[in-house]
Amino acid sequence: MQKVFNLLGATAFLMSGAMIVGSVVLYTRIPSLTKYYMSELKLELTKVVTQMVPAQIDDVMPELPSTTGPAIETPKSPF
């Protein structure tokens, strides 16, 4: 029975140690992971917006006239 308790104690110690090491590694990596995922998100958003904007502008812009009218006369000065 003592061997089982020793095995359980050693297993719990290894699990606690692994959890502490994993927490420290994750804590030290969070800034670089955040920068990486933010840059990926910005890149993806830029691609999506770049693809959407020309289509939206084309839908909103009126057709340009093919001919123009006569020039507008400037008003005569009363002096």
Side-chain angles (χ1 to χ4, degrees), residues 18-57:
M19 195 162 56
I20 288 172
V21 168
S23 297
V24 168
V25 168
L26 183 64
Y27 183 75
T28 57
R29 298 282 233 162
I30 283 177
S32 64
L33 289 173
T34 305
K35 281 183 184 178
Y36 172 74
Y37 286 118
M38 288 299 290
S39 67
E40 289 293 317
L41 181 65
K42 285 180 187 177
L43 180 64
E44 193 66 31
L45 282 173
T46 303
K47 286 180 183 177
V48 169
V49 169
T50 304
Q51 290 173 354
M52 286 176 59
V53 169
Q56 295 293 329
I57 291 175

Side-chain angles (χ1 to χ4, degrees), residues 55 57-68:
I57 291 175
D58 290 341
D59 291 342
V60 176
M61 289 294 290
E63 287 293 320
L64 293 175
S66 58
T67 60
T68 59

